Amino acid sequence: MAVSVFTGPSIFLITLFYFIPVLLTLLIAFTDMDRTLQWRFIGLDNFLRLFGVSSRDPFVPRIIRNTVIYVAGTLPLTIFGGLFLSILSMRLRRGMGLFFRSIFFIPRAIPPVVWGFLWAWSFEGTRYGLFNGIRSMLGLPVIHWLIKYPMVIVILANGFLGISLSMLVFSSAIASIPTDLTRAAEIDGATRWQTTRYIIIPLLKWPILTMTAWHLMSFVNSYVYIMLITGGGPYYRTEVWSLYAYHTAFNRYRYGYGASLTTILIVVNIVLLLVVLRTFGLRRMIGRGKIEV
Amino acid sequence: MMKVTLRNLCKYFQQIKAVDGLNLEIAAGEFLALLGPSGCGKTTTLLTIAGFYKPDQGEIYFDEQLVNDLPPRLRNIGMVFQSYALYPHMNVLDNIAFPLKLQKVPKSEWKARAIEIAKLLEIADLLDRKPGQLSGGQQQRVALARALVRNPKLLLLDEPLSNLDAKLRIFMRAELKRLQKELGITTIFVTHDQIEAMTMADRIVVLREGRLQQVGTPDELYDSPANVFVASFIGTPPMNLLDAEIEVGKGDYRVKTSHFSFSLPKEIVAKIKYIPSHGVVLGIRPEDLIIGEGNIRGLVYVVEPLGRDELVTLEAGDMRLKALVPSRLRIGLNDKIEFSFSVERVHLFDKETGKSLYKEA
């Protein structure tokens, strides 16, 4: 009784805003619903088109490639960048380290729109952009950053967001490693680098795995910052799967096809989730802290 | 074997003088205890010797080499931490071999040496286990093996026995002492437990608030404590300390407390450096009290049987005294009894400075 009273409201809300939309999406994926909101069931037509069986969608291979490149770029940046910054900042004196970490946490503290436009504006292709402004002050010609290197820029913008979280998680994990362990390593003859390599990083195994899984799923689904910075362009060069689904449904009003793209994303997510749960074990994931000492 | 010299060692944390002007010479092969209550600076001293803290003043010498600026990894020391600090992600063999691997010792050799030291410490059957699968006593042996594996010139032990249960602690006390003598390695260990210090160490350094109180063999500290602090800290149950005065008559030194008085025997008088005008503290060890005979009257306040002995608390006037007596005396609560003490074994301290009045202390 008490269980249903306490969990009831959240189960209701999750059902209303999560499970029902997912179900609706699944249903819409089998229709040809468009801006008129009229629809009829067309069976697997959307998926056949998507997989290139009939009247194939010419953008799909490119979208897949973009998504893979995007995830392959942001994920290592997030994990290695976060690891590097946390190890570095934990070596600084307390106040300095805190200051340093606070700066790198800013991306997550400010509204997404601000962060997105900050990047868009910094790499603006005219002399009114930050970097081009500096270049023109030095008498250098402007560079059309967002046209020349759009993928690099969206990867960096999202990577730094990832770094801000992973750095925080790794730093607190490092802080919870007992001083005695690193002192013992020092006594045993380890240099700072050896202590980091053989003691600290192995002890961060769980936080690293958790952050990898978390960010993998987060990046597969992410589109907000790309939309704000490049809008997927120039000409689909930064259009990733979820952004393509969004554009299809809400820019071109092809709700049916957009829903089928989203359905694929849902399936990919479920597979990833199962892999993660299998690797970590649900019981262990919700168990106690994972810095083993 | 290495000699360690501390010269006017000082370590401050902001306003707090954790170690204040420590002078000490630790002989090669010596087993030395740093003893004191918590916050006395003993662990700070150890960590400074290890190189984790830089002295604010003074010098540390290993043999003739000044090591103030030498980082811990180059000091060639072994250390066992209170928490043992075993690397949780490595098995026992890798834990023990870690110092050798860092030195790029070839695999066949580090393996052989690690196994050899594991055999010495009787943990050779645990090599595949992770630290989390070991008992406290086993963890301690692994920590010891790791500290010893590269034949360090100095071994540092920080409260090595405090995490063990009472029975194992007594066993390991003897084992550690034996091992230290067998290997002949200069060893400094930190403890707050005076019994541990007394039973294991060749010499004990008593510290209080960062300052040296007394250095000596266990017997010296027990028989001739340099001040009231050492007197009360060394020995279980602790020494009885009573306010008293010394009256000097013709050829007679009389010690008067609020409840009884007695004349000092000649051998004690001969030891006294001076008679303070502001009073003294009289110290009597519990085992020096004699119950059932004598001219001091008292009341039995409480009796604590210890098996072989009994610890009797006596009330005499406004004083309470503890006496260690054989169990067969059969003393009951509130018994009125007479007692005395061995006057030739009393201790006298200056009431103001707390320092012993005896010459040799």
Side-chain angles (χ1 to χ4, degrees), chain B residues 92-122:
Chain B
V92 169
L93 179 67
D94 289 333
N95 259 286
I96 298 175
F98 188 63
L100 299 179
K101 289 191 200 172
L102 290 174
Q103 290 181 331
K104 305 263 187 291
V105 173
K107 183 172 180 180
S108 55
E109 193 188 331
W110 67 247
K111 206 162 179 184
R113 277 170 70 181
I115 290 171
E116 185 192 356
I117 196 90
K119 276 185 183 151
L120 178 72
L121 288 161
E122 293 164 14

mmCIF file of all heavy atoms in Angstrom, chain B residues 92-122:
data_model
loop_
_atom_site.group_PDB
_atom_site.id
_atom_site.type_symbol
_atom_site.label_atom_id
_atom_site.label_comp_id
_atom_site.label_asym_id
_atom_site.label_seq_id
_atom_site.Cartn_x
_atom_site.Cartn_y
_atom_site.Cartn_z
ATOM 1 N N VAL B 92 48.388 -10.505 -3.734
ATOM 2 C CA VAL B 92 49.443 -10.435 -2.718
ATOM 3 C C VAL B 92 50.834 -10.428 -3.355
ATOM 4 O O VAL B 92 51.686 -9.620 -3.000
ATOM 5 C CB VAL B 92 49.289 -11.604 -1.721
ATOM 6 C CG1 VAL B 92 50.505 -11.720 -0.811
ATOM 7 C CG2 VAL B 92 48.028 -11.408 -0.883
ATOM 8 N N LEU B 93 51.028 -11.308 -4.351
ATOM 9 C CA LEU B 93 52.340 -11.374 -4.995
ATOM 10 C C LEU B 93 52.710 -10.030 -5.632
ATOM 11 O O LEU B 93 53.819 -9.529 -5.450
ATOM 12 C CB LEU B 93 52.340 -12.480 -6.067
ATOM 13 C CG LEU B 93 53.657 -12.625 -6.838
ATOM 14 C CD1 LEU B 93 54.774 -13.124 -5.921
ATOM 15 C CD2 LEU B 93 53.506 -13.560 -8.023
ATOM 16 N N ASP B 94 51.760 -9.434 -6.350
ATOM 17 C CA ASP B 94 52.050 -8.155 -7.016
ATOM 18 C C ASP B 94 52.245 -7.029 -6.008
ATOM 19 O O ASP B 94 53.042 -6.123 -6.229
ATOM 20 C CB ASP B 94 50.910 -7.797 -7.980
ATOM 21 C CG ASP B 94 50.918 -8.709 -9.197
ATOM 22 O OD1 ASP B 94 52.007 -9.201 -9.531
ATOM 23 O OD2 ASP B 94 49.848 -8.933 -9.775
ATOM 24 N N ASN B 95 51.510 -7.098 -4.901
ATOM 25 C CA ASN B 95 51.723 -6.125 -3.845
ATOM 26 C C ASN B 95 53.146 -6.197 -3.321
ATOM 27 O O ASN B 95 53.833 -5.180 -3.214
ATOM 28 C CB ASN B 95 50.743 -6.378 -2.683
ATOM 29 C CG ASN B 95 49.566 -5.435 -2.703
ATOM 30 O OD1 ASN B 95 49.690 -4.253 -2.380
ATOM 31 N ND2 ASN B 95 48.421 -5.945 -3.104
ATOM 32 N N ILE B 96 53.569 -7.420 -3.013
ATOM 33 C CA ILE B 96 54.909 -7.589 -2.431
ATOM 34 C C ILE B 96 55.984 -7.198 -3.446
ATOM 35 O O ILE B 96 56.983 -6.570 -3.104
ATOM 36 C CB ILE B 96 55.115 -9.040 -1.960
ATOM 37 C CG1 ILE B 96 54.111 -9.377 -0.856
ATOM 38 C CG2 ILE B 96 56.538 -9.258 -1.460
ATOM 39 C CD1 ILE B 96 54.148 -10.829 -0.411
ATOM 40 N N ALA B 97 55.746 -7.559 -4.710
ATOM 41 C CA ALA B 97 56.783 -7.347 -5.729
ATOM 42 C C ALA B 97 56.798 -5.916 -6.275
ATOM 43 O O ALA B 97 57.724 -5.536 -6.994
ATOM 44 C CB ALA B 97 56.579 -8.325 -6.873
ATOM 45 N N PHE B 98 55.774 -5.125 -5.934
ATOM 46 C CA PHE B 98 55.658 -3.779 -6.525
ATOM 47 C C PHE B 98 56.949 -2.957 -6.428
ATOM 48 O O PHE B 98 57.396 -2.391 -7.438
ATOM 49 C CB PHE B 98 54.477 -3.049 -5.884
ATOM 50 C CG PHE B 98 54.133 -1.735 -6.522
ATOM 51 C CD1 PHE B 98 53.701 -1.683 -7.842
ATOM 52 C CD2 PHE B 98 54.244 -0.544 -5.820
ATOM 53 C CE1 PHE B 98 53.377 -0.478 -8.440
ATOM 54 C CE2 PHE B 98 53.928 0.665 -6.412
ATOM 55 C CZ PHE B 98 53.500 0.700 -7.720
ATOM 56 N N PRO B 99 57.596 -2.879 -5.256
ATOM 57 C CA PRO B 99 58.835 -2.083 -5.186
ATOM 58 C C PRO B 99 59.918 -2.610 -6.129
ATOM 59 O O PRO B 99 60.688 -1.817 -6.672
ATOM 60 C CB PRO B 99 59.273 -2.222 -3.727
ATOM 61 C CG PRO B 99 58.062 -2.639 -2.990
ATOM 62 C CD PRO B 99 57.233 -3.439 -3.956
ATOM 63 N N LEU B 100 59.962 -3.927 -6.326
ATOM 64 C CA LEU B 100 60.989 -4.496 -7.203
ATOM 65 C C LEU B 100 60.667 -4.220 -8.663
ATOM 66 O O LEU B 100 61.552 -3.915 -9.463
ATOM 67 C CB LEU B 100 61.094 -6.006 -6.979
ATOM 68 C CG LEU B 100 61.488 -6.442 -5.568
ATOM 69 C CD1 LEU B 100 61.518 -7.965 -5.484
ATOM 70 C CD2 LEU B 100 62.854 -5.868 -5.188
ATOM 71 N N LYS B 101 59.367 -4.308 -9.014
ATOM 72 C CA LYS B 101 58.981 -4.042 -10.398
ATOM 73 C C LYS B 101 59.313 -2.610 -10.776
ATOM 74 O O LYS B 101 59.708 -2.334 -11.910
ATOM 75 C CB LYS B 101 57.487 -4.278 -10.566
ATOM 76 C CG LYS B 101 57.075 -5.731 -10.512
ATOM 77 C CD LYS B 101 55.633 -5.835 -10.965
ATOM 78 C CE LYS B 101 54.988 -7.118 -10.515
ATOM 79 N NZ LYS B 101 53.550 -7.110 -10.802
ATOM 80 N N LEU B 102 59.131 -1.701 -9.820
ATOM 81 C CA LEU B 102 59.453 -0.301 -10.104
ATOM 82 C C LEU B 102 60.932 -0.128 -10.385
ATOM 83 O O LEU B 102 61.334 0.761 -11.124
ATOM 84 C CB LEU B 102 59.047 0.595 -8.927
ATOM 85 C CG LEU B 102 57.551 0.762 -8.699
ATOM 86 C CD1 LEU B 102 57.308 1.546 -7.417
ATOM 87 C CD2 LEU B 102 56.899 1.473 -9.871
ATOM 88 N N GLN B 103 61.738 -0.995 -9.775
ATOM 89 C CA GLN B 103 63.189 -0.912 -10.004
ATOM 90 C C GLN B 103 63.607 -1.652 -11.254
ATOM 91 O O GLN B 103 64.797 -1.793 -11.508
ATOM 92 C CB GLN B 103 63.934 -1.507 -8.806
ATOM 93 C CG GLN B 103 63.837 -0.666 -7.549
ATOM 94 C CD GLN B 103 64.596 -1.285 -6.402
ATOM 95 O OE1 GLN B 103 64.748 -2.508 -6.318
ATOM 96 N NE2 GLN B 103 65.104 -0.462 -5.505
ATOM 97 N N LYS B 104 62.606 -2.169 -12.015
ATOM 98 C CA LYS B 104 62.862 -2.895 -13.256
ATOM 99 C C LYS B 104 63.709 -4.132 -13.021
ATOM 100 O O LYS B 104 64.531 -4.521 -13.844
ATOM 101 C CB LYS B 104 63.565 -1.993 -14.293
ATOM 102 C CG LYS B 104 62.820 -0.695 -14.587
ATOM 103 C CD LYS B 104 61.962 -0.803 -15.828
ATOM 104 C CE LYS B 104 61.350 0.517 -16.232
ATOM 105 N NZ LYS B 104 60.331 1.020 -15.316
ATOM 106 N N VAL B 105 63.491 -4.768 -11.881
ATOM 107 C CA VAL B 105 64.129 -6.053 -11.608
ATOM 108 C C VAL B 105 63.499 -7.075 -12.545
ATOM 109 O O VAL B 105 62.284 -7.081 -12.714
ATOM 110 C CB VAL B 105 63.892 -6.444 -10.135
ATOM 111 C CG1 VAL B 105 64.386 -7.857 -9.860
ATOM 112 C CG2 VAL B 105 64.566 -5.451 -9.197
ATOM 113 N N PRO B 106 64.303 -7.942 -13.205
ATOM 114 C CA PRO B 106 63.701 -8.916 -14.123
ATOM 115 C C PRO B 106 62.712 -9.832 -13.407
ATOM 116 O O PRO B 106 62.835 -10.107 -12.221
ATOM 117 C CB PRO B 106 64.909 -9.712 -14.640
ATOM 118 C CG PRO B 106 66.081 -9.256 -13.860
ATOM 119 C CD PRO B 106 65.758 -7.976 -13.195
ATOM 120 N N LYS B 107 61.736 -10.325 -14.195
ATOM 121 C CA LYS B 107 60.608 -11.028 -13.609
ATOM 122 C C LYS B 107 61.027 -12.224 -12.770
ATOM 123 O O LYS B 107 60.535 -12.428 -11.662
ATOM 124 C CB LYS B 107 59.629 -11.478 -14.709
ATOM 125 C CG LYS B 107 58.419 -12.156 -14.122
ATOM 126 C CD LYS B 107 57.338 -12.451 -15.124
ATOM 127 C CE LYS B 107 56.178 -13.135 -14.373
ATOM 128 N NZ LYS B 107 55.058 -13.472 -15.205
ATOM 129 N N SER B 108 61.960 -13.041 -13.315
ATOM 130 C CA SER B 108 62.350 -14.246 -12.583
ATOM 131 C C SER B 108 62.893 -13.862 -11.209
ATOM 132 O O SER B 108 62.635 -14.534 -10.211
ATOM 133 C CB SER B 108 63.403 -15.003 -13.380
ATOM 134 O OG SER B 108 64.497 -14.148 -13.663
ATOM 135 N N GLU B 109 63.617 -12.743 -11.170
ATOM 136 C CA GLU B 109 64.224 -12.358 -9.902
ATOM 137 C C GLU B 109 63.197 -11.781 -8.929
ATOM 138 O O GLU B 109 63.180 -12.137 -7.747
ATOM 139 C CB GLU B 109 65.347 -11.341 -10.152
ATOM 140 C CG GLU B 109 66.210 -11.146 -8.922
ATOM 141 C CD GLU B 109 67.197 -10.004 -9.070
ATOM 142 O OE1 GLU B 109 67.607 -9.721 -10.211
ATOM 143 O OE2 GLU B 109 67.526 -9.380 -8.040
ATOM 144 N N TRP B 110 62.306 -10.867 -9.435
ATOM 145 C CA TRP B 110 61.355 -10.296 -8.474
ATOM 146 C C TRP B 110 60.418 -11.330 -7.922
ATOM 147 O O TRP B 110 60.039 -11.318 -6.764
ATOM 148 C CB TRP B 110 60.634 -9.064 -9.004
ATOM 149 C CG TRP B 110 59.659 -9.123 -10.155
ATOM 150 C CD1 TRP B 110 59.846 -8.560 -11.385
ATOM 151 C CD2 TRP B 110 58.336 -9.690 -10.190
ATOM 152 N NE1 TRP B 110 58.748 -8.764 -12.181
ATOM 153 C CE2 TRP B 110 57.800 -9.454 -11.471
ATOM 154 C CE3 TRP B 110 57.554 -10.385 -9.274
ATOM 155 C CZ2 TRP B 110 56.530 -9.868 -11.862
ATOM 156 C CZ3 TRP B 110 56.284 -10.813 -9.654
ATOM 157 C CH2 TRP B 110 55.791 -10.556 -10.932
ATOM 158 N N LYS B 111 60.099 -12.309 -8.784
ATOM 159 C CA LYS B 111 59.206 -13.359 -8.328
ATOM 160 C C LYS B 111 59.879 -14.179 -7.220
ATOM 161 O O LYS B 111 59.292 -14.430 -6.170
ATOM 162 C CB LYS B 111 58.832 -14.261 -9.511
ATOM 163 C CG LYS B 111 57.523 -14.938 -9.312
ATOM 164 C CD LYS B 111 56.949 -15.461 -10.611
ATOM 165 C CE LYS B 111 55.624 -16.157 -10.299
ATOM 166 N NZ LYS B 111 55.034 -16.763 -11.463
ATOM 167 N N ALA B 112 61.120 -14.533 -7.450
ATOM 168 C CA ALA B 112 61.841 -15.345 -6.471
ATOM 169 C C ALA B 112 61.990 -14.599 -5.146
ATOM 170 O O ALA B 112 61.771 -15.165 -4.075
ATOM 171 C CB ALA B 112 63.212 -15.718 -7.033
ATOM 172 N N ARG B 113 62.321 -13.314 -5.255
ATOM 173 C CA ARG B 113 62.526 -12.554 -4.016
ATOM 174 C C ARG B 113 61.228 -12.358 -3.253
ATOM 175 O O ARG B 113 61.191 -12.409 -2.023
ATOM 176 C CB ARG B 113 63.180 -11.214 -4.342
ATOM 177 C CG ARG B 113 64.706 -11.346 -4.488
ATOM 178 C CD ARG B 113 65.336 -10.104 -5.039
ATOM 179 N NE ARG B 113 65.303 -8.993 -4.097
ATOM 180 C CZ ARG B 113 65.792 -7.782 -4.393
ATOM 181 N NH1 ARG B 113 66.337 -7.566 -5.584
ATOM 182 N NH2 ARG B 113 65.731 -6.821 -3.517
ATOM 183 N N ALA B 114 60.130 -12.096 -3.986
ATOM 184 C CA ALA B 114 58.847 -11.904 -3.327
ATOM 185 C C ALA B 114 58.404 -13.189 -2.634
ATOM 186 O O ALA B 114 57.898 -13.170 -1.508
ATOM 187 C CB ALA B 114 57.799 -11.459 -4.342
ATOM 188 N N ILE B 115 58.629 -14.314 -3.311
ATOM 189 C CA ILE B 115 58.224 -15.595 -2.714
ATOM 190 C C ILE B 115 59.071 -15.894 -1.480
ATOM 191 O O ILE B 115 58.574 -16.366 -0.461
ATOM 192 C CB ILE B 115 58.315 -16.725 -3.766
ATOM 193 C CG1 ILE B 115 57.206 -16.529 -4.801
ATOM 194 C CG2 ILE B 115 58.219 -18.091 -3.119
ATOM 195 C CD1 ILE B 115 57.295 -17.420 -6.014
ATOM 196 N N GLU B 116 60.346 -15.554 -1.585
ATOM 197 C CA GLU B 116 61.240 -15.792 -0.455
ATOM 198 C C GLU B 116 60.777 -15.026 0.790
ATOM 199 O O GLU B 116 60.673 -15.591 1.884
ATOM 200 C CB GLU B 116 62.662 -15.361 -0.855
ATOM 201 C CG GLU B 116 63.713 -15.660 0.181
ATOM 202 C CD GLU B 116 65.031 -14.947 -0.147
ATOM 203 O OE1 GLU B 116 65.109 -14.292 -1.217
ATOM 204 O OE2 GLU B 116 65.948 -15.026 0.653
ATOM 205 N N ILE B 117 60.474 -13.751 0.603
ATOM 206 C CA ILE B 117 60.058 -12.949 1.764
ATOM 207 C C ILE B 117 58.668 -13.396 2.250
ATOM 208 O O ILE B 117 58.379 -13.386 3.444
ATOM 209 C CB ILE B 117 60.091 -11.426 1.436
ATOM 210 C CG1 ILE B 117 60.058 -10.582 2.714
ATOM 211 C CG2 ILE B 117 58.970 -10.990 0.541
ATOM 212 C CD1 ILE B 117 61.394 -10.280 3.258
ATOM 213 N N ALA B 118 57.831 -13.842 1.316
ATOM 214 C CA ALA B 118 56.504 -14.346 1.705
ATOM 215 C C ALA B 118 56.650 -15.598 2.558
ATOM 216 O O ALA B 118 55.906 -15.805 3.520
ATOM 217 C CB ALA B 118 55.667 -14.638 0.472
ATOM 218 N N LYS B 119 57.632 -16.417 2.217
ATOM 219 C CA LYS B 119 57.866 -17.628 3.014
ATOM 220 C C LYS B 119 58.322 -17.249 4.415
ATOM 221 O O LYS B 119 57.871 -17.807 5.404
ATOM 222 C CB LYS B 119 58.915 -18.506 2.333
ATOM 223 C CG LYS B 119 58.305 -19.401 1.262
ATOM 224 C CD LYS B 119 59.355 -20.337 0.692
ATOM 225 C CE LYS B 119 58.756 -21.170 -0.431
ATOM 226 N NZ LYS B 119 59.768 -21.540 -1.423
ATOM 227 N N LEU B 120 59.222 -16.275 4.462
ATOM 228 C CA LEU B 120 59.735 -15.835 5.764
ATOM 229 C C LEU B 120 58.589 -15.387 6.663
ATOM 230 O O LEU B 120 58.581 -15.620 7.870
ATOM 231 C CB LEU B 120 60.735 -14.684 5.559
ATOM 232 C CG LEU B 120 61.336 -14.074 6.820
ATOM 233 C CD1 LEU B 120 62.332 -15.036 7.456
ATOM 234 C CD2 LEU B 120 62.016 -12.751 6.508
ATOM 235 N N LEU B 121 57.595 -14.723 6.070
ATOM 236 C CA LEU B 121 56.482 -14.195 6.857
ATOM 237 C C LEU B 121 55.280 -15.145 6.866
ATOM 238 O O LEU B 121 54.197 -14.782 7.312
ATOM 239 C CB LEU B 121 56.071 -12.817 6.320
ATOM 240 C CG LEU B 121 57.094 -11.735 6.639
ATOM 241 C CD1 LEU B 121 56.925 -10.541 5.750
ATOM 242 C CD2 LEU B 121 57.019 -11.324 8.087
ATOM 243 N N GLU B 122 55.486 -16.338 6.337
ATOM 244 C CA GLU B 122 54.463 -17.381 6.363
ATOM 245 C C GLU B 122 53.166 -16.972 5.666
ATOM 246 O O GLU B 122 52.065 -17.176 6.178
ATOM 247 C CB GLU B 122 54.183 -17.816 7.812
ATOM 248 C CG GLU B 122 55.395 -18.528 8.405
ATOM 249 C CD GLU B 122 55.328 -18.619 9.930
ATOM 250 O OE1 GLU B 122 54.248 -18.383 10.476
ATOM 251 O OE2 GLU B 122 56.366 -18.912 10.533
#
